[in-house]
Coordinates of all heavy atoms in Angstrom, one line a residue:
Q239 N 87.1 101.3 138.4 CA 87.8 101.7 139.5 C 87.4 103.2 140.0 O 87.1 103.5 141.1 CB 89.2 101.6 139.4 CG 90.0 102.0 140.6 CD 91.5 101.9 140.4 OE1 92.0 101.2 139.5 NE2 92.4 102.6 141.3
G240 N 87.4 104.0 138.9 CA 87.0 105.4 139.1 C 85.6 105.5 139.6 O 85.3 106.4 140.4
F241 N 84.7 104.7 139.1 CA 83.3 104.7 139.5 C 83.2 104.4 141.0 O 82.6 105.1 141.8 CB 82.6 103.7 138.7 CG 81.1 103.6 138.9 CD1 80.4 104.5 139.7 CD2 80.4 102.5 138.3 CE1 79.0 104.3 139.9 CE2 79.0 102.4 138.5 CZ 78.3 103.3 139.3
L242 N 83.8 103.2 141.4 CA 83.6 102.8 142.7 C 84.5 103.4 143.7 O 84.0 104.0 144.7 CB 83.9 101.2 142.8 CG 83.1 100.4 141.8 CD1 83.6 98.9 142.0 CD2 81.6 100.5 142.2
I243 N 85.8 103.7 143.4 CA 86.7 104.2 144.5 C 86.7 105.7 144.4 O 86.6 106.4 145.6 CB 88.2 103.8 144.1 CG1 88.2 102.2 144.1 CG2 89.0 104.3 145.2 CD1 87.7 101.6 145.3
N244 N 86.7 106.4 143.2 CA 86.7 107.9 143.2 C 85.4 108.5 143.5 O 85.4 109.6 144.1 CB 87.2 108.3 141.9 CG 88.6 107.9 141.6 OD1 89.3 107.3 142.4 ND2 89.0 108.2 140.3
N245 N 84.3 107.8 143.3 CA 83.0 108.4 143.4 C 82.0 107.7 144.4 O 81.7 108.3 145.4 CB 82.3 108.6 142.1 CG 81.0 109.4 142.1 OD1 79.9 109.0 142.5 ND2 81.1 110.8 141.8
L246 N 81.7 106.6 144.1 CA 80.6 105.9 144.7 C 81.0 105.7 146.4 O 80.0 106.0 147.1 CB 80.3 104.5 144.2 CG 78.9 103.9 144.5 CD1 77.8 104.9 144.2 CD2 78.7 102.6 143.9
V247 N 82.2 105.3 146.6 CA 82.5 105.1 148.1 C 82.4 106.5 148.8 O 81.7 106.5 149.9 CB 83.8 104.5 148.3 CG1 84.2 104.4 149.7 CG2 83.7 102.9 147.8
P248 N 83.2 107.4 148.4 CA 83.2 108.8 149.1 C 81.8 109.5 149.2 O 81.4 110.1 150.1 CB 84.3 109.5 148.5 CG 84.5 109.0 147.2 CD 84.2 107.6 147.3
V249 N 81.1 109.4 148.0 CA 79.9 110.1 148.1 C 78.8 109.3 148.9 O 78.0 110.0 149.5 CB 79.4 110.0 146.5 CG1 77.9 110.5 146.5 CG2 80.2 111.0 145.7
T250 N 78.8 108.1 148.8 CA 78.0 107.3 149.6 C 78.2 107.6 151.2 O 77.3 107.8 152.0 CB 78.1 105.8 149.5 OG1 77.8 105.5 148.1 CG2 77.2 105.0 150.4
L251 N 79.5 107.6 151.6 CA 79.8 108.0 153.0 C 79.3 109.5 153.3 O 78.7 109.7 154.3 CB 81.3 108.0 153.2 CG 81.9 106.6 153.1 CD1 83.4 106.7 153.2 CD2 81.3 105.7 154.2
G252 N 79.4 110.3 152.3 CA 79.0 111.7 152.5 C 77.5 111.8 152.7 O 76.9 112.4 153.6
N253 N 76.7 111.0 151.8 CA 75.3 110.9 151.9 C 74.8 110.3 153.2 O 73.9 110.8 153.8 CB 74.7 110.0 150.7 CG 74.8 110.6 149.4 OD1 74.8 109.9 148.4 ND2 75.0 111.9 149.3
I254 N 75.5 109.3 153.8 CA 75.2 108.7 155.1 C 75.4 109.7 156.1 O 74.5 109.9 156.9 CB 76.0 107.4 155.3 CG1 75.7 106.3 154.3 CG2 75.8 107.0 156.8 CD1 76.7 105.2 154.4
A255 N 76.5 110.6 155.9 CA 76.7 111.6 157.1 C 75.7 112.7 157.1 O 75.1 113.0 158.1 CB 78.0 112.0 156.9
G256 N 75.4 113.1 155.8 CA 74.4 114.2 155.6 C 73.0 113.7 156.1 O 72.3 114.6 156.8
G257 N 72.6 112.6 155.8 CA 71.2 112.1 156.1 C 71.1 111.7 157.6 O 70.2 112.1 158.4
S258 N 72.1 110.9 158.0 CA 72.0 110.4 159.4 C 72.4 111.4 160.5 O 71.8 111.5 161.4 CB 72.9 109.1 159.5 OG 72.5 108.1 158.6
L259 N 73.7 112.0 160.2 CA 74.2 112.8 161.3 C 73.8 114.2 161.4 O 73.7 114.9 162.4 CB 75.7 112.7 161.2 CG 76.4 111.3 161.2 CD1 77.9 111.4 161.2 CD2 75.9 110.6 162.6
V260 N 73.5 114.8 160.1 CA 73.2 116.2 160.0 C 71.7 116.5 160.0 O 71.3 117.5 160.6 CB 73.9 116.8 158.7 CG1 73.4 118.4 158.7 CG2 75.2 116.6 158.6
I261 N 71.0 115.5 159.6 CA 69.4 115.7 159.6 C 68.8 114.8 160.5 O 68.0 115.1 161.4 CB 68.9 115.4 158.2 CG1 69.4 116.6 157.3 CG2 67.3 115.6 158.2 CD1 68.9 118.0 157.6
G262 N 69.0 113.4 160.4 CA 68.2 112.4 161.1 C 68.4 112.6 162.7 O 67.3 112.7 163.4
L263 N 69.5 112.5 163.2 CA 69.8 112.6 164.6 C 69.4 113.9 165.2 O 68.7 114.0 166.4 CB 71.3 112.2 165.1 CG 71.7 110.7 164.6 CD1 73.1 110.5 165.1 CD2 70.8 109.8 165.5
P264 N 69.9 115.0 164.7 CA 69.4 116.3 165.2 C 68.0 116.5 165.2 O 67.4 117.0 166.2 CB 70.1 117.3 164.2 CG 71.3 116.6 163.7 CD 70.9 115.2 163.6
M265 N 67.3 116.2 164.2 CA 65.8 116.2 164.1 C 65.2 115.5 165.2 O 64.2 115.9 165.8 CB 65.2 115.8 162.8 CG 65.4 116.8 161.7 SD 64.4 118.4 162.0 CE 62.8 117.6 161.6
Y266 N 65.6 114.3 165.5 CA 65.1 113.5 166.6 C 65.3 114.1 168.0 O 64.5 114.3 168.7 CB 65.8 112.1 166.5 CG 65.4 111.2 167.7 CD1 64.1 110.8 167.9 CD2 66.3 111.1 168.8 CE1 63.8 110.1 169.1 CE2 66.0 110.4 169.9 CZ 64.7 109.8 170.1 OH 64.4 109.1 171.2
Y267 N 66.6 114.5 168.2 CA 67.0 115.0 169.5 C 66.3 116.4 169.9 O 65.8 116.6 170.9 CB 68.5 115.1 169.7 CG 69.1 113.7 169.9 CD1 69.9 113.2 169.0 CD2 68.7 112.9 171.1 CE1 70.5 111.9 169.3 CE2 69.3 111.7 171.3 CZ 70.2 111.2 170.4 OH 70.7 109.9 170.6
I268 N 66.3 117.3 168.8 CA 65.7 118.5 169.0 C 64.2 118.4 169.2 O 63.7 119.0 170.3 CB 65.9 119.3 167.8 CG1 67.3 119.8 167.6 CG2 64.9 120.6 167.8 CD1 67.6 120.4 166.2
N269 N 63.5 117.6 168.5 CA 62.0 117.4 168.7 C 61.7 116.6 169.9 O 60.7 116.9 170.5 CB 61.4 116.9 167.4 CG 61.4 117.9 166.4 OD1 60.8 118.9 166.4 ND2 62.2 117.6 165.2
T270 N 62.5 115.7 170.3 CA 62.2 115.0 171.5 C 62.3 115.8 172.7 O 61.5 115.8 173.5 CB 63.2 113.6 171.6 OG1 63.0 112.8 170.5 CG2 63.0 112.9 172.8
N271 N 63.5 116.5 172.8 CA 63.6 117.4 173.9 C 62.5 118.5 174.1 O 62.1 118.8 175.1 CB 65.0 118.0 173.9 CG 66.2 117.1 174.0 OD1 66.0 116.0 174.7 ND2 67.3 117.3 173.5
L272 N 62.1 119.0 172.9 CA 61.1 120.1 172.9 C 59.8 119.5 173.3 O 59.0 120.1 174.0 CB 61.1 120.9 171.6 CG 62.3 121.8 171.4 CD1 62.2 122.2 169.9 CD2 62.2 122.9 172.3
K273 N 59.6 118.4 172.9 CA 58.3 117.6 173.2 C 58.2 117.4 174.7 O 57.1 117.6 175.3 CB 58.1 116.4 172.4 CG 56.7 115.8 172.5 CD 56.6 114.5 171.6 CE 55.2 113.9 171.7 NZ 55.1 112.8 170.7
L274 N 59.3 116.9 175.3 CA 59.4 116.6 176.7 C 59.2 117.9 177.5 O 58.5 118.0 178.4 CB 60.7 116.0 177.1 CG 60.9 114.6 176.6 CD1 62.4 114.2 176.9 CD2 59.9 113.6 177.2
S275 N 59.8 119.0 177.0 CA 59.6 120.3 177.6 C 58.2 120.7 177.5 O 57.5 121.3 178.6 CB 60.5 121.4 177.0 OG 61.8 121.1 177.1
K276 N 57.5 120.5 176.4 CA 56.1 120.9 176.3 C 55.2 120.1 177.3 O 54.3 120.6 177.9 CB 55.6 120.6 175.0 CG 54.1 120.9 174.6 CD 53.8 120.5 173.3 CE 52.3 120.7 173.0 NZ 51.9 120.3 171.7
K277 N 55.5 118.8 177.6 CA 54.7 118.0 178.4 C 55.0 118.3 180.0 O 54.2 118.2 180.7 CB 54.9 116.5 178.2 CG 54.4 116.0 176.9 CD 54.5 114.5 176.7 CE 53.9 114.1 175.4 NZ 54.1 112.6 175.2
G278 N 56.3 118.7 180.2 CA 56.7 118.7 181.5 C 56.7 120.1 182.2 O 57.0 120.2 183.4
S279 N 56.4 121.1 181.5 CA 56.4 122.5 182.0 C 55.3 123.3 181.6 O 55.3 123.9 180.5 CB 57.8 123.1 181.7 OG 57.9 124.5 182.0
K280 N 54.3 123.5 182.5 CA 53.2 124.3 182.2 C 53.6 125.8 182.1 O 53.0 126.7 181.5 CB 52.1 124.1 183.1 CG 51.4 122.7 183.1 CD 50.3 122.6 184.1 CE 49.7 121.2 184.0 NZ 48.6 121.0 184.8
E281 N 54.6 126.2 183.0 CA 55.1 127.5 183.1 C 55.6 128.0 181.7 O 55.5 129.2 181.4 CB 56.3 127.6 184.1 CG 55.7 127.2 185.5 CD 56.9 127.2 186.5 OE1 58.0 127.5 186.1 OE2 56.7 126.8 187.6
N282 N 56.3 127.2 181.0 CA 56.8 127.7 179.7 C 55.8 127.8 178.7 O 55.9 128.5 177.8 CB 57.8 126.7 179.2 CG 59.1 126.7 180.0 OD1 59.4 127.8 180.7 ND2 59.9 125.6 180.0
D283 N 54.6 127.1 178.9 CA 53.5 127.2 177.9 C 54.0 127.0 176.4 O 53.7 127.8 175.6 CB 52.7 128.5 178.1 CG 51.5 128.3 177.3 OD1 50.9 127.3 177.0 OD2 50.9 129.5 176.9
V284 N 54.8 126.0 176.3 CA 55.3 125.7 174.9 C 54.2 125.5 173.9 O 53.3 124.6 174.1 CB 56.3 124.7 174.8 CG1 56.8 124.5 173.5 CG2 57.4 125.0 175.8
H285 N 54.2 126.1 172.7 CA 53.2 125.8 171.7 C 53.8 125.8 170.3 O 55.0 126.2 170.1 CB 52.0 126.9 171.8 CG 52.6 128.3 171.5 ND1 53.1 129.0 172.5 CD2 52.6 128.9 170.4 CE1 53.5 130.2 171.9 NE2 53.1 130.2 170.7
Y286 N 53.0 125.5 169.4 CA 53.3 125.6 167.9 C 52.8 126.8 167.3 O 51.6 127.3 167.5 CB 52.9 124.3 167.2 CG 53.5 123.2 167.5 CD1 53.0 122.2 168.3 CD2 54.7 122.8 166.7 CE1 53.6 121.0 168.6 CE2 55.3 121.6 167.0 CZ 54.8 120.7 167.9 OH 55.5 119.6 168.2
D287 N 53.6 127.5 166.5 CA 53.0 128.7 165.8 C 52.5 128.2 164.4 O 52.5 126.9 164.2 CB 54.1 129.8 165.5 CG 55.3 129.3 164.6 OD1 55.2 128.3 163.9 OD2 56.3 130.0 164.8
Y288 N 52.0 129.0 163.6 CA 51.3 128.6 162.4 C 52.2 127.9 161.5 O 51.7 127.1 160.6 CB 50.8 129.9 161.6 CG 51.9 130.7 161.0 CD1 52.2 130.5 159.6 CD2 52.7 131.7 161.7 CE1 53.3 131.2 158.9 CE2 53.6 132.3 161.2 CZ 53.9 132.1 159.8 OH 55.0 132.9 159.2
A289 N 53.5 128.0 161.6 CA 54.3 127.3 160.6 C 54.8 125.9 161.2 O 55.6 125.2 160.7 CB 55.7 128.0 160.3
G290 N 54.2 125.5 162.3 CA 54.6 124.3 163.0 C 55.9 124.4 163.8 O 56.5 123.3 164.1
N291 N 56.4 125.6 164.1 CA 57.6 125.7 164.8 C 57.3 125.8 166.4 O 56.1 126.2 166.7 CB 58.3 127.0 164.5 CG 58.8 126.9 163.0 OD1 59.2 126.0 162.6 ND2 58.5 128.0 162.2
F292 N 58.2 125.5 167.2 CA 58.1 125.7 168.6 C 58.3 127.0 169.0 O 59.1 127.7 168.6 CB 59.0 124.7 169.4 CG 58.7 123.3 169.3 CD1 59.3 122.4 168.4 CD2 57.7 122.7 170.2 CE1 59.0 121.1 168.3 CE2 57.4 121.3 170.0 CZ 58.1 120.5 169.2
G293 N 57.5 127.5 170.0 CA 57.7 128.8 170.5 C 57.2 128.8 172.0 O 56.6 127.8 172.5

Side-chain angles (χ1 to χ4, degrees):
Q239 180 179 342
F241 182 10
L242 300 178
I243 305 302
N244 296 356
N245 187 278
L246 199 57
V247 170
V249 168
T250 300
L251 292 175
N253 287 163
I254 291 171
S258 297
L259 304 180
V260 182
I261 297 294
L263 292 181
M265 282 293 292
Y266 169 74
Y267 285 115
I268 290 170
N269 288 295
T270 298
N271 290 335
L272 288 171
K273 188 174 182 180
L274 290 174
S275 298
K276 179 183 178 182
K277 290 182 177 180
S279 177
K280 293 182 179 180
E281 297 177 1
N282 290 336
D283 189 26
V284 178
H285 64 274
Y286 287 96
D287 63 21
Y288 72 94
N291 299 313
F292 286 100

